[in-house]
Amino acid sequence: MSEELIHTAYDPEFDFRSLPKVSLHDHLDGGLRPSTIIELAAAAHHELPSTDAVALGEWFRQSANSGSLPRYLETFEHTVAVMQTHENLIRVAREFVEDLADDGVVYGEVRWAPEQHLAGGLSLDEAVQAVQQGLDEGVEAVAESGRPIQVGQLITAMRHADRGVEIAELALRHRGNGAVGFDIAGAEDGFPPSRMTEAFDLLAKNFFPTTVHAGEAAGVDSIVDALLTGRAERLGHGVRIAEDIDIQFGGTDDDGSEVEEDTGLVTLGPVANWVRDRGIPLEICPSSNLQTGATTGFGEGIESHPIDLLYQTGFTVTISPDNRLMSDTSLSSEFELLVEAFDYDLDDLLELTLNAAEAAFLPLEEREALVEYINAEYAGLTGDGDDQDDDQV
């Protein structure tokens, strides 16, 4: 199918942190506070690039801005190193929730790989229980401050480790006690979901939801495998689905009418059509995509990121921060980036947020309640739904 790609300019001002948000793609080991890393590293006798919080944060940012996914992933050696004990996992998880709430997140899914946190003697189940205790403590602390937040765990298997079945069984054991979904992460290129077919079959037989990292370091074939083998209900990043979209400027439309030179005629390939038409959510992380080189095939800078193309052509786009420490970002910062680059307004940010709420791995009734809450909060920000010319916060 073909359709016209049109965009109109808009220049709003927002108090971004006041907007209720849903974060679906947020790694636990990518969201530590630099000060916490320094304190925990000292106790663990782990050497860091710097013991100054500001300098350490800058080191993470510079490494993340290398444009290389492998180098980006190297930064996790330091965060994972300080997340090897029961107490440290509790603390990191608790602070993770507190930081989400400070950014206006009302529902978050925290993804992490328990198999990477056993060096201190913890079992897989003990690691999951420690993280859940920290998440529960964080939710309780946030509630005491009068703010609502709900958080679930996405139990993640590392693509290269061949422990997929073991981690899938772990996720199923903790179903109903914090674990809301399953993911695979790590080096995408060369480690397709089909390496973990047995794990995905087990999850499917138990009707346990999956989201799969795909379409970040590898292209459309990776997305196809995530859909077919992984039965992915969401695509982690998924941004390279745009490689299955063709844009031509000028020419004629399907009905033979002339298309203006500055208007793009968009044609979706079969995979893009499938993902778009079935509303399979894309967990897009704009800053991270730029830093890891996931979008270099489309151009340089946020203005060339295909997120706007995907959003305008009807894909179910959601926005997440990926790794807040490495990318020096937050969900508020990601929203602000999109507003500056693409002139998005409150209606756009509401739609992106509702997409995420409706894609959450929650029971239907809880998703509906989350959507209702977000709509009510946005209505309050815009004068209880009254028509306004500026839609400003």
Side-chain angles (χ1 to χ4, degrees):
M1 56 85 62
S2 298
E3 57 189 76
E4 293 183 0
L5 178 62
I6 303 171
H7 199 276
T8 56
Y10 196 78
D11 185 22
E13 294 180 1
F14 297 111
D15 177 5
F16 293 94
R17 286 166 59 121
S18 71
L19 302 177
K21 304 172 190 71
V22 174
S23 183
L24 300 180
H25 195 115
D26 207 342
H27 290 266
L28 182 64
D29 53 353
L32 281 71
R33 301 169 183 172
S35 58
T36 296
I37 297 173
I38 292 169
E39 183 179 337
L40 298 183
H45 305 291
H46 175 77
E47 185 176 353
L48 296 171
S50 175
T51 55
D52 176 80
V54 174
L56 182 60
E58 181 60 28
W59 178 86
F60 276 104
R61 288 189 289 274
Q62 290 178 354
S63 299
N65 280 319
S66 65
S68 165
L69 182 58
R71 184 176 172 190
Y72 186 97
L73 295 175
E74 286 175 10
T75 61
F76 292 91
E77 294 177 6
H78 296 293
T79 57
V80 171
V82 302
M83 298 169 63
Q84 298 298 328
T85 68
H86 183 266
E87 294 76 13
N88 289 5
L89 284 174
I90 291 174
R91 175 175 173 176
V92 167
R94 182 181 64 248
E95 292 179 350
F96 195 97
V97 175
E98 293 170 348
D99 292 344
L100 287 182
D102 287 343
D103 193 45
V105 173
V106 295
Y107 176 79
E109 292 178 2
V110 180
R111 65 185 67 199
W112 70 295
E115 64 194 89
Q116 293 187 305
H117 303 272
L118 310 179
L122 293 175
S123 69
L124 288 170
D125 290 282
E126 288 170 339
V128 172
Q129 291 163 356
V131 167
Q132 190 58 45
Q133 181 177 337
L135 297 179
D136 290 341
E137 290 180 6
V139 169
E140 183 178 355
V142 169
E144 289 176 355
S145 68
R147 297 169 294 170
I149 190 169
Q150 185 175 357
V151 183
Q153 292 191 51
L154 294 177
I155 304 298
T156 301
M158 299 306 295
R159 306 175 86 111
H160 64 280
D162 294 324
R163 299 181 71 172
V165 172
E166 184 181 10
I167 304 305
E169 291 172 342
L170 174 70
L172 291 172
R173 284 199 300 275
H174 292 271
R175 182 182 204 169
N177 189 31
V180 298
F182 179 86
D183 179 33
I184 62 173
E188 179 184 358
D189 202 8
F191 296 92
S194 56
R195 287 171 54 94
M196 295 190 180
T197 297
E198 187 178 353
F200 286 118
D201 286 348
L202 174 64
L203 294 163
K205 289 176 183 177
N206 286 275
F207 301 99
F208 195 73
T210 62
T211 173
V212 178
H213 276 75
E216 181 190 21
V220 176
D221 287 346
S222 176
I223 293 173
V224 170
D225 200 8
L227 296 172
L228 298 183
T229 302
R231 285 89 152 182
E233 296 184 36
R234 304 194 312 242
L235 293 172
H237 299 287
V239 66
R240 288 178 63 177
I241 191 68
E243 293 175 359
D244 198 40
I245 300 175
D246 180 66
I247 307 175
Q248 294 184 344
F249 289 89
T252 57
D253 204 344
D254 292 340
D255 61 3
S257 59
E258 292 293 326
V259 177
E260 296 182 8
E261 288 296 326
D262 61 350
T263 301
L265 194 63
V266 179
T267 303
L268 275 62
V271 181
N273 241 331
W274 180 272
V275 171
R276 197 280 303 270
D277 291 356
R278 280 149 189 81
I280 298 170
L282 307 176
E283 303 165 355
I284 294 181
C285 309
S287 293
S288 175
N289 295 158
L290 296 177
Q291 292 169 327
T292 62
T295 58
T296 53
F298 308 101
E300 299 295 328
I302 185 61
E303 293 78 8
S304 297
H305 194 297
I307 183 173
D308 192 48
L309 164 68
L310 297 169
Y311 176 56
Q312 286 198 60
T313 49
F315 285 80
T316 304
V317 173
T318 72
I319 307 300
S320 291
D322 198 12
N323 299 292
R324 287 177 278 118
L325 169 63
M326 289 71 177
S327 295
D328 187 27
T329 193
S330 64
L331 198 41
S332 289
S333 296
E334 296 300 300
F335 277 0
E336 185 173 5
L337 185 67
L338 298 179
V339 167
E340 292 175 351
F342 303 116
D343 300 313
Y344 287 172
D345 61 16
L346 267 181
D347 289 338
D348 296 311
L349 300 187
L350 174 58
E351 182 172 349
L352 293 168
T353 302
L354 293 178
N355 284 348
E358 291 166 355
F361 289 159
L362 287 170
L364 175 61
E365 296 80 7
E366 294 184 34
R367 294 201 308 272
E368 290 177 338
L370 181 59
V371 166
E372 183 178 355
Y373 175 81
I374 292 167
N375 275 321
E377 290 295 299
Y378 264 81
L381 291 168
T382 58
D384 199 28
D386 294 337
D387 292 335
Q388 294 187 359
D389 293 332
D390 55 6
D391 262 359
Q392 294 185 358
V393 177

